[in-house]
Amino acid sequence: MQNYMIWRFMTDRAWHMPKRFRNIVQQFTQVFHGTSTEQSRATTCANYVNIVMSLTVSKLYIEEYFHKDTRKETTEMINNIRNIFITMVNRSTWMDSKSKIIAIKKARAIKAKLAYPDYLERDDMTKLDKAYAEYNFNLSYMPNVLSVMQLHSKASLKMLRYPIDSEEWNDILPTHFNAIHRLLANEILFPAAILQTPLFDKDAPKYLNYGGKDKFNGKNETEK
């Protein structure tokens, strides 16, 4: 067990080490996954910064690429789909009255988190400053990686002692091109990155936006 834990740790950390170590892992990955080359260093570094400094990167992304009116239009679309779903439930012949009431109640309770947490669009940087107050980097990359791991572990353990913040985004970042639903929380999340062309365009006809975005939204709504 000890050897396995060390092997797992080193395998994950090897991508942050010099090329001679990455080559060893790449040989294993080629056999295990069939990949022949590793990602470019630019892609690897960009992804790492996005993970480590996710909130600050998200804020920069939102300010540069995201139009705020998109949230308003997306909210309207979700409400329209919710209302149509409720109409379909009411018209269904295979559900009894009690089941319909429960289904409609749950549909109305679904919380939609759109684009990004609200505090990222404010000028007040207090929450971001607090989140990264202990981040102190130097010119040595690997110690920085290990330091960030410790800080992330510390932050995760702190969550055990505090009430759950229902407004926080824990499972997905605004810069992720994806959409998810959190079953236990009865909520759906649409990051800013997915509310972009080609799936969404505030200036496009509504039918195109419904068709693109609701590939994810319809799936997430009905799965609940």
Side-chain angles (χ1 to χ4, degrees):
M1 179 61 71
Q2 181 182 14
N3 289 339
Y4 175 75
M5 292 178 65
I6 293 175
W7 176 73
R8 289 293 304 180
F9 178 83
M10 292 305 300
T11 301
D12 292 338
R13 301 288 76 75
W15 296 113
H16 303 293
M17 299 174 73
K19 190 169 180 60
R20 67 179 185 275
F21 296 103
R22 300 201 308 272
N23 286 341
I24 296 173
V25 180
Q26 181 57 44
Q27 292 174 20
F28 171 80
T29 304
Q30 183 173 1
V31 174
F32 198 74
H33 296 290
T35 55
S36 57
T37 58
E38 65 175 300
Q39 288 182 324
S40 68
R41 295 307 289 165
T43 300
T44 299
C45 292
N47 287 338
Y48 182 70
V49 172
N50 190 29
I51 293 171
V52 173
M53 307 292 291
S54 57
L55 296 178
T56 52
V57 172
S58 295
K59 185 171 180 62
L60 293 172
Y61 175 82
I62 291 163
E63 291 176 349
E64 182 70 22
Y65 298 107
F66 191 78
H67 198 286
K68 293 181 180 179
D69 288 346
T70 298
R71 293 182 94 190
K72 181 179 179 180
E73 186 170 343
T74 307
T75 299
E76 180 183 338
M77 292 172 63
I78 289 176
N79 288 335
N80 288 341
I81 293 172
R82 193 198 316 263
N83 291 334
I84 291 298
F85 176 78
I86 291 173
T87 300
M88 292 171 61
V89 171
N90 280 323
R91 291 178 178 175
S92 67
T93 58
W94 58 273
M95 298 176 71
D96 59 34
S97 298
K98 184 177 180 180
S99 298
K100 288 181 180 181
I101 291 172
I102 294 174
I104 291 172
K105 182 179 179 180
K106 186 170 185 179
R108 286 176 173 158
I110 294 174
K111 183 174 184 178
K113 292 183 176 179
L114 304 176
Y116 48 82
D118 291 339
Y119 65 84
L120 285 184
E121 69 178 357
R122 296 195 289 264
D123 293 330
D124 185 0
M125 304 289 285
T126 303
K127 190 162 186 174
L128 286 177
D129 290 340
K130 183 178 179 180
Y132 296 108
E134 297 184 58
Y135 283 59
N136 295 301
F137 298 117
N138 55 47
L139 296 179
S140 184
Y141 179 61
M142 194 61 194
N144 287 338
V145 171
L146 298 176
S147 175
V148 168
M149 287 180 59
Q150 291 177 332
L151 291 172
H152 282 192
S153 296
K154 182 179 178 181
S156 296
L157 291 173
K158 278 185 176 180
M159 293 174 64
L160 296 173
R161 304 299 180 187
Y162 292 93
I164 295 175
D165 185 355
S166 61
E167 301 301 320
E168 197 59 78
W169 288 43
N170 296 318
D171 300 319
I172 195 168
L173 301 176
T175 51
H176 281 177
F177 189 83
N178 198 0
I180 65 172
H181 77 266
R182 298 175 66 196
L183 186 61
L184 296 181
N186 196 33
E187 62 185 20
I188 52 180
L189 295 89
F190 291 89
I194 204 171
L195 299 176
Q196 304 278 11
T197 306
L199 293 183
F200 186 91
D201 187 334
K202 67 180 183 65
D203 297 320
K206 289 186 180 296
Y207 61 83
L208 290 179
N209 286 336
Y210 274 101
K213 175 179 163 296
D214 293 332
K215 171 186 177 182
F216 294 91
N217 187 50
K219 171 179 176 293
N220 287 329
E221 289 264 11
T222 54
E223 277 186 352
K224 302 191 77 63

